[in-house]
Amino acid sequence: MEYKIALLRGDGIGPEIVDSAVRVLEKIGERYGHSFRFTPYLIGGCAIDATGKPLPEETVEGCLASDSVLLGAVGGPKWDPQPGHLRPEKALLGIRSALGLFTNLRPAKLYPALRDASPLRADIVEKGFDLMIVRELTGGIYFGERGKREGKYGEEAYDTEAYSRMEIERIGRVAFETARKRNKRLISIDKANVLETSRLWREIMHAMSKEYPDVEYADLLVDNAAMQLVKNPAQFDVVVTSNMFGDILSDEASQITGSIGMLASASLGDTKRGMYEPIHGSAPDIAGKNVANPIATILSAAMMLRYSFDLAEEADCIEQAVDRVLEKGFRTADLLGGREGTPLSCTEMTDRILAEI
Ligand code: IPM
Ligand code: MG
């Protein structure tokens, strides 16, 4: 079978890590008899440089015509002076929205081999953790009305958060179903003691929990959740939360696994077409040096095989290859975190993973 994959390499380390994932997919194709056809499109800063726009129409059309999308990262200091609507990050929000990707799955698990890379105390990491963040991706404050105006103290800027019943229900449904397929525990994270959107969110999640008596349900305020994540991450199985809280908590969750360079993500909507990307950014400080950790992007490609193409065995194969490479002690610089050892380059780490496939 042939699968059409749109490649959005983007900026910074984006091209290096996407190319690593492409090599892994090609190897999987060879081994299992699939053919992956890759078509690159511009997004973010490189698109601004080439076309003046962060998200050219051709990119949106190309993604819509593909079976799935693999994205590296966007942004960098070069484009920081751009006005808000022309920033590289705007393209990321634009493509998520254009493809209807309202669900963002961000798994964060502790690899036993990486225990000593986690900043958490030994007695906490000993218990291990394996959680799935279900982040709402096309609503909330990221997409609300914003602007500048004259306020009580003169010039002011504002952003607004709105969530409709429909948006909350559809992400809630995904979260409960996800919990059902895992350890049947779901925690919804909000700020219902302050925000009206959170109160509606909580009301809807509570009502929905009645339909899922087999799922153990609880809610947690976001400030407490941030604390619980470092205090006792093992208590979490699936968490569901809004766009902005999910953005923040997923960076925190990644760091306790040892490195943000490890976390993959899948953005999904109503169709099989998804967009797969590492949760980290474009890391302009290390771009072009061949030192980035390609694992988050390689694991994102595995998620693509699993969620968009129903190729579970092939996805397992990639994940196990990553496990084995880590077990053997191979590390990129981020995973060494200043400890002793020789860091592998991005391409060397990819070679090691390829050798295990
Ligand atoms: C992420 C990123 C993006 C987000 C930025 C780059 C717009 O931080 O995917 O987590 O906030 O969603
Ligand atoms: Mg983020």
Side-chain angles (χ1 to χ4, degrees):
M1 171 123 189
E2 185 181 86
Y3 300 94
K4 279 187 279 181
I5 301 175
L7 290 185
L8 308 183
R9 289 193 178 87
D11 310 315
I13 58 171
E16 309 163 43
I17 54 179
V18 168
D19 290 345
S20 293
V22 165
R23 289 175 63 205
V24 169
L25 285 172
E26 273 167 350
K27 182 84 189 268
I28 288 286
E30 258 166 52
R31 178 166 163 196
Y32 290 90
H34 306 300
S35 108
F36 298 109
R37 191 147 58 80
F38 301 101
T39 315
Y41 296 96
L42 294 171
I43 191 166
C46 60
I48 296 174
D49 290 350
T51 70
K53 293 182 197 163
L55 183 60
E57 285 87 47
E58 202 203 335
T59 299
V60 177
E61 281 156 24
C63 291
L64 283 169
S66 303
D67 296 314
S68 229
V69 183
L70 184 65
L71 176 109
V74 298
K78 179 174 175 197
W79 305 282
D80 278 347
Q82 294 277 120
H85 68 287
L86 286 177
R87 285 183 65 100
E89 291 80 1
K90 191 73 184 171
L92 195 49
L93 305 193
I95 192 77
R96 287 170 178 170
S97 184
L99 300 179
L101 306 173
F102 60 87
T103 299
N104 189 208
L105 300 180
R106 299 191 157 187
K109 71 168 183 179
L110 184 71
Y111 285 82
L114 292 184
R115 268 186 198 163
D116 57 347
S118 171
L120 297 183
R121 232 169 42 212
D123 61 307
I124 301 175
V125 287
E126 214 163 80
K127 288 190 265 171
F129 61 86
D130 179 349
L131 60 101
M132 175 71 91
I133 297 177
V134 179
R135 171 190 179 195
E136 198 292 324
L137 201 61
T138 50
I141 198 163
Y142 274 54
F143 290 89
E145 197 195 315
R146 72 186 81 243
K148 290 222 175 132
R149 63 189 170 200
E150 272 308 296
K152 198 161 125 200
Y153 304 106
E155 184 193 14
E156 68 178 24
Y158 65 96
D159 298 273
T160 51
E161 164 135 319
Y163 265 118
S164 63
R165 176 169 288 278
M166 183 281 286
E167 291 171 295
I168 301 170
E169 275 171 0
R170 71 179 176 186
I171 194 71
R173 187 78 53 204
V174 172
F176 278 101
E177 294 293 338
T178 304
R180 230 176 212 174
K181 289 189 209 124
R182 291 177 42 111
N183 293 321
K184 300 193 169 49
R185 288 185 289 123
L186 175 66
I187 295 183
S188 170
I189 296 171
D190 62 36
K191 188 70 186 168
N193 52 350
V194 177
L195 303 177
E196 203 57 48
T197 40
S198 283
R199 283 190 279 271
L200 181 63
W201 181 284
R202 193 175 276 211
E203 179 196 314
I204 292 170
M205 292 292 168
H206 271 251
M208 201 175 276
S209 71
K210 306 281 183 293
E211 292 176 47
Y212 294 86
D214 52 323
V215 174
E216 195 186 305
Y217 172 84
D219 29 48
L220 201 58
L221 292 172
V222 64
D223 46 352
N224 190 5
M227 184 171 78
Q228 296 299 332
L229 256 181
V230 291
K231 200 174 158 200
N232 179 17
Q235 69 186 290
F236 295 102
D237 175 24
V238 178
V239 310
V240 60
T241 192
S242 64
N243 204 342
M244 183 154 77
F245 295 160
D247 176 46
I248 298 167
L249 293 174
S250 58
D251 268 31
E252 187 186 0
S254 75
Q255 201 52 53
I256 60 174
T257 70
S259 170
I260 195 168
M262 294 296 298
L263 254 71
S265 86
S267 302
L268 307 168
D270 285 327
T271 70
K272 278 280 177 189
R273 187 190 317 105
M275 187 163 81
Y276 298 83
E277 54 177 303
I279 80 146
H280 60 70
S282 57
D285 51 323
I286 57 164
K289 295 185 180 155
N290 193 22
V291 298
N293 182 353
I295 294 180
T297 316
I298 290 171
L299 292 174
S300 299
M303 290 185 90
M304 175 188 289
L305 299 181
R306 192 181 301 286
Y307 292 100
S308 283
F309 305 154
D310 291 319
L311 299 175
E313 195 187 328
E314 290 82 340
D316 288 345
C317 173
I318 296 178
E319 288 165 4
Q320 286 158 10
V322 169
D323 282 351
R324 282 195 293 275
V325 165
L326 296 173
E327 290 294 340
K328 287 183 178 172
F330 295 114
R331 302 283 184 270
T332 41
D334 57 310
L335 295 174
L336 282 172
R339 280 177 308 277
E340 240 168 75
T342 317
L344 295 191
S345 67
C346 178
T347 45
E348 283 165 345
M349 180 53 104
T350 309
D351 292 339
R352 291 291 173 188
I353 294 169
L354 287 172
E356 299 288 338
I357 289 176

